Amino acid sequence: MKNFVEELRWRGMLAQIMPGTEEYLNEHLTTAYLGTDPTADSLHIGHLCGIMMLRHLQRCGHRPVILVGGATGMIGDPSGKSQERNLLGEEALRHNQECIKAQVARFLDFDSSEPNAAIMVNNYDWMKDFTFLDFAREVGKHITVNYMMAKESVQQRLNGTARDGLSFTEFTYQLLQGYDFLYLYQHHGVRLQLGGNDQWGNMTTGTELIRRTLGNDVEPAFALTCPLITKADGKKFGKTESGNVWLDPKRTSPYKFYQFWLNVSDDDAERYIKIFTSLDRETIDALVAEHSQDPGRRTLQRRLAEEVTLLVHGQQALDMALQATQILFGRATKEALVALDEQTLLDVFEGVEHYNLPADSLGRPAVELLTTTECPVFPSRGEMRKMVQGGGVSLNKEKLQTFDRPITASDLIDGKYLLIQKGKKNYYLLTVA
C-alpha cells in the first residue's frame, strides 16, 4: 500500500491529523469515511477535494466509505454557516442521494472484487428508528455540554452576529455526526474519518464518543482533514458570477466546466492540478517545468481542465468542450458547430451580441437581414458588400460568398440559430422565431 498521508501531504491536501494516524494507515488496510449532505441533487466543485481524498485513499489500497447524510441533512451543520439552513423532506433527500451516488461512482470503484471496494451508506437508515429517548440515553450521556460548547463552530455562532443564534437542532449536530462514526466503527470497521478542516470539531467528537462508549481497550479511531481550498487572492474557490460550478452537466455544461479550470491563474493551476487530478508527482513536476518555460501557452491550465473534465464528465463531453473552445478561439468547421448541443452553443456565445429575427425573414437576402435596425450586424449595405468581397464574413463558420445570398431554413442550427462572424473576432448569434 502507498503512504496515503504522504500522498495528501505533497499534494497540499493535508490540514489536521490526529497523532498516530499515519502510522496506523501504514500498518493496516484501513476503512475510512467522508460525509456529504444531500442538500442538492448535485455536488459542486467545492466538494471535490473531499471526494478526491477518498479517491486517493482507494488508490493507496484502503477502503473508502461515502456517507450520504439523509438524517443529518434534515438538521443542518452549523460549521462555517452564519445561519440555519432550510430543511428538506425525506423524498427530496432520497432523490438527491441517488443523484450524488451516480456522480461519486465516477471517482470511486464500487464494483471491485478487492477488499477495498468502495461502499455508500446513508445515516437515515440507522437514525430513522432511533428514538429521542434512546439517543439521549445511549449517546448523549457520554458527551458533556461543556465539551460541546467548547467547539469552535458552536462558539462562532454563539458569539457571532447571526440574528437567530444557534438552534438546539443545530447544537445536536455534532452528537449525530459523532454517532455516525461510532455506528460505522461498529458495523463497517471504519477507523478513520475524513473531511474539511471546518469539520474538525465534529470529527474529534466522534473519536471521543467511540472512546467513551467502547472504552480504551478497542482499536483507536482517527480523524484527518483537508484545508479549505481558496483562490490565490484568498477568495472562495468554486464560485462564479452565476454561482457554484456544479458536477451535473444540466446545471453547469461541460464547456463551462472546462472553461472554469482553463481560466484559473498560474498559481492556482499549480495548486489545483495536485489536488483535483490523479496525475503522479513526476508528471506534475514536468508540467510545472514546461509551463514555467512559456506561461502564455497555459500548459498547466489546459492539462488541468482536460483531466478534471474527463474525470467528471467523460471523454465525449471533454471532446465537445474542446471543440466548443476551438469554435470561439480557433479554427473550426461548420460540422463542429452543428455538432454542439443547444446549451453548449448558448454557453459558447453567451457574451456575444444576440439579435432576434422573425421567422418570416427567411428567404430574404443576407444583406437585407443583417443591416436592419433590429439586426445591425453591419452599419450599411456598402460595408457588408465590401467585407464579403474581401472574405471577411462567415455564416455558420463558412465563408459567405455573396452578400445577397438568401438565408433559408436550411441554414438554421438546431432549427433556430444563425452564427455570423465578421472579421476574426466579432461574432453575432441570431435567433429566428
Side-chain angles (χ1 to χ4, degrees), residues 4 8 13 49-57 194 224 226:
F4 172 60
L8 296 187
M13 298 174 68
C49 185
I51 300 301
M52 289 303 295
M53 288 174 76
L54 288 179
R55 181 174 173 83
H56 292 309
L57 179 89
L194 307 174
L224 182 158
C226 63

Side-chain angles (χ1 to χ4, degrees), residues 7-15 49 226-227 229 274-275:
E7 184 74 11
L8 296 187
R9 189 177 284 122
W10 79 261
R11 290 182 181 274
M13 298 174 68
L14 184 63
C49 185
C226 63
I229 308 301
K274 297 175 184 177
I275 297 169

Side-chain angles (χ1 to χ4, degrees), residues 138 178-191 209-210 213-214 218:
E138 297 178 25
Y179 181 72
D180 285 342
F181 200 172
L182 174 62
Y183 183 92
L184 293 173
Y185 182 102
Q186 293 177 304
H187 293 85
H188 292 282
V190 170
R191 297 294 181 265
L209 180 62
I210 290 169
T213 303
L214 304 180
V218 299

Side-chain angles (χ1 to χ4, degrees), residues 99-221:
C99 295
I100 290 170
K101 183 176 182 180
Q103 292 179 340
V104 174
R106 300 193 68 92
F107 296 82
L108 304 178
D109 185 356
F110 289 90
D111 302 319
S112 172
S113 59
E114 298 298 320
N116 71 329
I119 63 171
M120 175 173 274
V121 295
N122 178 353
N123 62 12
Y124 183 76
D125 293 333
W126 58 80
M127 292 301 301
K128 61 183 177 181
D129 297 321
F130 204 177
T131 69
F132 178 79
L133 291 177
D134 288 338
F135 185 83
R137 183 176 58 190
E138 297 178 25
V139 179
K141 71 176 183 179
H142 293 292
I143 302 293
T144 67
V145 171
N146 305 58
Y147 180 88
M148 296 171 68
M149 290 284 289
K151 295 297 181 180
E152 184 179 359
S153 61
V154 173
Q155 287 296 316
Q156 287 177 342
R157 285 289 293 275
L158 289 177
N159 300 324
T161 58
R163 290 180 303 168
D164 301 327
L166 180 69
S167 71
F168 173 78
T169 304
E170 288 184 299
F171 182 59
T172 60
Y173 188 94
Q174 63 175 290
L175 283 184
L176 291 170
Q177 185 171 328
Y179 181 72
D180 285 342
F181 200 172
L182 174 62
Y183 183 92
L184 293 173
Y185 182 102
Q186 293 177 304
H187 293 85
H188 292 282
V190 170
R191 297 294 181 265
L192 171 65
Q193 183 178 177
L194 307 174
N197 60 1
D198 61 333
Q199 292 291 310
W200 182 250
N202 294 339
M203 294 163 69
T204 53
T205 296
T207 61
E208 185 67 9
L209 180 62
I210 290 169
R211 186 187 68 80
R212 295 188 184 188
T213 303
L214 304 180
N216 293 319
D217 296 331
V218 299
E219 284 194 19

